[in-house]
Amino acid sequence: QFLLLWLFFCLILITGSLLLQRWFALAWQLHSENKLLISRLETLAHQDALTGAANRRVLEDYLALMVTQQKPLAAIMLDVDYFKRFNDHYGHQAGDDCLRQIANVLNFSVRTPEDLVARYGGEEFVLLLPAATIAQAIAVTQRIQVKLAAAAIPHAASEVSSFVTISMGVSISTGHTSAKALIAAADAALYRAKKAGRNGYSV
């Protein structure tokens, strides 16, 4: 009887241990899947779905943080030259591919991981460069032009080049400029660059 009771008790322990291990494995798998889902949702909430650049929300939050901390900041606003004509000539799928390539060029043209590349809307992007001087911001714009020229994206409908070009506006804050004023200044500089013939930048 003692042996039977001991065997029965061991059977219960082994069965319980196996069930507990199985439950723990399932719980851990569910936890891992939930973490992966949360990570994907966070990525979607912070990235532009088309280009993979930061989205408008992230741009505004980052800009507000820099302004609150009163840190020097450079902003570069850029626009693809004759992009509507590009879409009309090559189609919207080609237009989407073009924007993805431009976002890739921008990511490889910034200085540090702290520099933010964000899609502002349509064919417009904004770069935020913390603690950048005018010379450093201009160096980034020139690097963008060089890398974009190397990408050589055909644009038969452009009036300035047979390849895709961009116009850029640069504004600088010493840490005492509002977010709205900094973006407005970059936008005004971008407008001047377009009026000057496009495929260039204005500060």
Side-chain angles (χ1 to χ4, degrees):
Q1 288 180 346
F2 174 78
L3 182 61
L4 288 174
L5 287 173
W6 182 80
L7 289 173
F8 182 70
F9 181 71
C10 287
L11 182 62
I12 290 175
L13 284 178
I14 292 171
T15 303
S17 176
L18 291 173
L19 288 173
L20 187 61
Q21 288 179 13
R22 179 173 174 77
W23 174 84
F24 180 79
L26 289 173
W28 181 255
Q29 181 181 356
L30 182 60
H31 173 71
S32 299
E33 289 174 353
N34 285 340
K35 284 186 67 177
L36 181 60
L37 178 60
I38 291 170
S39 176
R40 286 176 178 172
L41 289 173
E42 287 180 346
T43 298
L44 289 173
H46 291 84
Q47 278 189 342
D48 172 61
L50 175 64
T51 64
N55 59 23
R56 183 78 172 262
R57 174 186 169 187
V58 174
L59 170 68
E60 291 174 350
D61 289 346
Y62 192 74
L63 186 55
L65 177 64
M66 293 293 103
V67 170
T68 300
Q69 295 178 348
Q70 295 187 331
K71 291 185 175 180
L73 181 67
I76 302 173
M77 180 176 284
L78 62 94
D79 185 84
V80 183
D81 295 328
Y82 300 107
F83 187 68
K84 184 180 184 304
R85 295 186 186 182
F86 184 95
N87 274 335
D88 291 342
H89 185 83
Y90 296 101
H92 289 280
Q93 181 60 54
D96 289 347
D97 291 339
C98 174
L99 292 178
R100 279 190 283 266
Q101 289 184 69
I102 289 174
N104 190 52
V105 165
L106 299 179
N107 283 322
F108 280 101
S109 299
V110 293
R111 307 164 306 154
T112 69
E114 284 71 36
D115 292 346
L116 180 73
V117 176
R119 189 178 179 196
Y120 194 67
E123 68 273 22
E124 287 186 322
F125 292 84
V126 170
L127 279 62
L128 296 181
L129 315 176
T133 64
I134 291 177
Q136 289 171 331
I138 290 175
V140 170
T141 66
Q142 292 171 340
R143 191 155 55 243
I144 291 170
Q145 288 181 310
V146 170
K147 290 184 180 298
L148 185 58
I153 307 168
H155 191 347
S158 173
E159 291 186 12
V160 294
S161 173
S162 56
F163 299 102
V164 168
T165 59
I166 57 176
S167 299
M168 292 175 278
V170 182
S171 62
I172 299 286
S173 169
T174 58
H176 303 285
T177 306
S178 69
K180 184 177 180 180
L182 183 67
I183 294 298
D187 190 36
L190 172 60
Y191 178 77
R192 290 194 300 272
K194 288 182 177 181
K195 292 290 286 184
R198 306 181 190 246
N199 191 24
Y201 63 88
S202 177
V203 180

